[in-house]
Amino acid sequence: MNQSDFLKTVLPFKDKVYRLAKRLLVSAEEAEDATQELYFKLWKNKSKLSDYKNVEAFAMTMTKNYCFDRLKSKQASNLTLVHSNYKEKDTPLEKQVEHKDSVNQVQRLIESLPEQQKIIIQLRDIEEYDFDEICKMVDMKPTAVRVALSRARKTIREALIKKHNYGVS
């Protein structure tokens, strides 16, 4: 596999790798390092990439494993998570603050989920992978993935309802 073929194969999902790393490691710098490390490993093993049916799923699994290793090694530092997936135009400041607060609340709730649920909700609801791909990435049966996703969504929904009903976090 030459450099051009490699880039055609792996560049389309670079942003997804970064977002998963950022979700798990929280820090943008750590996520960038993880993405760079993953791409270096993929380049070193470029001759073996054709052995995989879905290189993207393989890369996401590698990312998840690398991030877990980083977290276990205690090298990751706690940095704040900043949401920058969208920018609003011509929205009153009050609404912008409300939206930002809601996004931050959901992010905090996702971060408080158990690791498995956090990964599954990231892959399904944010990265929009289908269930078969998620099952391969997390090495779980479809029923277990659906149950974990359902529980994660229910936890977030209940926390948001409680906050909006009582105004308390």
Side-chain angles (χ1 to χ4, degrees), residues 91-99:
T91 305
L93 182 60
E94 184 179 318
K95 282 288 182 194
Q96 288 179 13
V97 170
E98 264 182 47
H99 290 305

Side-chain angles (χ1 to χ4, degrees), residues 80-96:
T80 59
L81 182 64
V82 178
H83 179 72
S84 60
N85 284 353
Y86 71 93
K87 295 193 183 337
E88 296 198 37
K89 299 174 189 162
D90 301 328
T91 305
L93 182 60
E94 184 179 318
K95 282 288 182 194
Q96 288 179 13

